[in-house]
Amino acid sequence: MQRLTLKNIFFRALAYLVITAVSIAAADNPPAFDWPVEKDKKYQISSTFGESRLDHFHNGVDIPGAGAKVLVPKTGRLLYRINAEFTPGEIPFGGGTTLVMDHGTHWSGFMHLQSVAENIAKQPQLAVGERIGTSGNSGHSGGPHLHFFIFDPHERAMLNPLTLMSDLYYRDTKPPEAKDWGVLLPDKFASINPAKSFRLSADYPVYIFIQDHGTGRERWGVFDYRVSLDGKEAIAARFEKVFFKGDAWQLANGLAFEDIFFRNYYALTSKVRRAKKVLIEAKDLKGNSLSKAYELQIQQN
Ligand SMILES: [Zn+2]
């Protein structure tokens, strides 16, 4: 079950739009997108694709900054525009002032804008690098940033923008780090110290907090993550695309948000109770990798 948050409503509406209003172009070569914000060291990503947003996957990348120039990342035309000032209470989408561009086989989206450039709706084509607006804090946003997404209307999937950028203007040299563990009990989420003996009286789901860092103290989600219990794969997730299927967003292997996350902890699954050895492997998009093994002593009653 997915809760009806504003973001969820937005992405459901987006999928609906696709089915009803778009004639789908034949797939062409993989798209290459330019960086959607003026190139400046201060405008680097603050959030990665696939991170937990507590009850849904983060479906794009965030680039912080107020008043940064937002630029056309790939030739295309304006598909639609939502004005925050005409959507009181952040209804319908929570994205504030939003632009969505159509590039033929893909769409790109820009949310939480402060302003939109004049006359872009009248132009039959917008060229790469053209300024279409400035970043801001409109809609449901905790601070000025651009939320940038890329959508494939043919597959009905949100794509990881960082896999499609011609210019990867983000730096990531540090591997993900494994942090604390927790278990979801019927009445609470409790922390666990995996280095010590602990008790699990039933197959409660166990989780680990994993965080990727860029070059310093950034707090990002990982790109690829897998867990083996006693040498057998228990769960695997790759945050490359998130598909809209049935009425929920899920990864290529069918896993939904609730299968992978509790808050921003990653699932080790409820099979941990029966396991002695846990191996956690996680990678960021640059290939920096974490591999960490744990030997558990669990009292099963
Ligand atoms: Zn975002």
Side-chain angles (χ1 to χ4, degrees):
M1 280 290 289
Q2 269 196 324
R3 269 191 278 157
L4 280 178
T5 60
L6 288 169
K7 277 250 164 90
N8 276 333
I9 292 167
F10 169 71
F11 291 116
R12 278 171 201 221
L14 193 61
Y16 176 77
L17 255 174
V18 171
I19 303 161
T20 54
V22 173
S23 64
I24 292 160
D28 65 359
N29 296 323
F33 286 78
D34 214 338
W35 202 248
V37 172
E38 59 182 298
K39 289 180 186 171
D40 187 309
K41 265 197 291 199
K42 62 187 177 199
Y43 302 134
Q44 299 196 20
I45 64 162
S46 59
S47 304
T48 53
F49 180 90
E51 285 181 9
S52 167
R53 281 297 178 273
L54 303 184
D55 61 3
H56 63 278
F57 297 118
H58 187 229
N59 276 312
V61 290
D62 290 341
I63 304 173
K69 288 179 193 139
V70 174
L71 310 174
V72 171
K74 183 178 165 82
T75 303
R77 68 182 177 97
L78 186 66
L79 185 60
Y80 63 85
R81 164 186 180 166
I82 297 163
N83 280 359
E85 59 205 272
F86 299 139
T87 54
E90 302 178 8
I91 302 297
F93 300 151
T97 298
T98 296
L99 295 175
V100 175
M101 285 191 68
D102 179 358
H103 308 283
T105 55
H106 293 76
W107 298 358
S108 62
F110 313 82
M111 294 160 89
H112 312 303
L113 299 175
Q114 181 182 89
S115 68
V116 169
E118 282 177 33
N119 291 325
I120 55 171
K122 292 178 186 145
Q123 287 174 242
Q125 197 168 68
L126 297 165
V128 176
E130 231 175 289
R131 189 177 74 84
I132 52 174
T134 54
S135 63
N137 199 26
S138 62
H140 185 71
S141 168
H145 74 284
L146 172 71
H147 175 94
F148 174 62
F149 69 81
I150 298 174
F151 183 70
D152 179 340
H154 181 73
E155 290 196 300
R156 301 174 76 197
M158 298 298 278
L159 312 184
N160 186 334
L162 295 178
T163 63
L164 300 166
M165 296 286 194
S166 56
D167 177 3
L168 294 183
Y169 200 73
Y170 83 103
R171 294 176 300 158
D172 191 347
T173 54
K174 291 187 163 187
E177 255 183 80
K179 302 198 171 177
D180 48 313
W181 287 38
V183 57
L184 185 56
L185 301 171
D187 57 335
K188 62 176 178 186
F189 188 68
S191 63
I192 285 177
N193 182 349
K196 291 191 173 159
S197 156
F198 60 93
R199 180 187 303 273
L200 283 178
S201 60
D203 291 345
Y204 298 121
V206 177
Y207 296 84
I208 183 171
F209 187 49
I210 306 174
Q211 212 161 48
D212 186 36
H213 309 288
T215 57
R217 308 203 60 79
E218 297 92 337
R219 292 177 293 178
W220 295 337
V222 303
F223 176 61
D224 187 284
Y225 137 86
R226 49 202 67 234
V227 176
S228 321
L229 302 175
D230 295 331
K232 255 180 84 178
E233 184 170 278
I235 188 169
R238 190 174 176 83
F239 300 99
E240 193 166 18
K241 300 181 181 185
V242 180
F243 297 85
F244 190 78
K245 281 189 183 153
D247 65 349
W249 291 90
Q250 54 185 250
L251 300 183
N253 63 2
L255 294 186
F257 179 84
E258 296 79 4
D259 299 320
I260 298 169
F261 288 108
F262 178 73
R263 297 178 188 151
N264 46 17
Y265 283 68
Y266 292 79
L268 298 175
T269 77
S270 54
K271 291 174 260 178
V272 167
R273 180 173 175 239
R274 323 259 167 183
K276 296 203 158 48
K277 291 182 180 178
V278 179
L279 175 65
I280 293 159
E281 292 170 292
K283 271 186 214 153
D284 60 34
L285 201 55
K286 296 279 194 182
N288 304 303
S289 66
L290 157 77
S291 176
K292 189 158 182 183
Y294 298 82
E295 304 253 353
L296 302 183
Q297 304 163 54
I298 301 175
Q299 296 159 260
Q300 299 194 2
N301 46 48

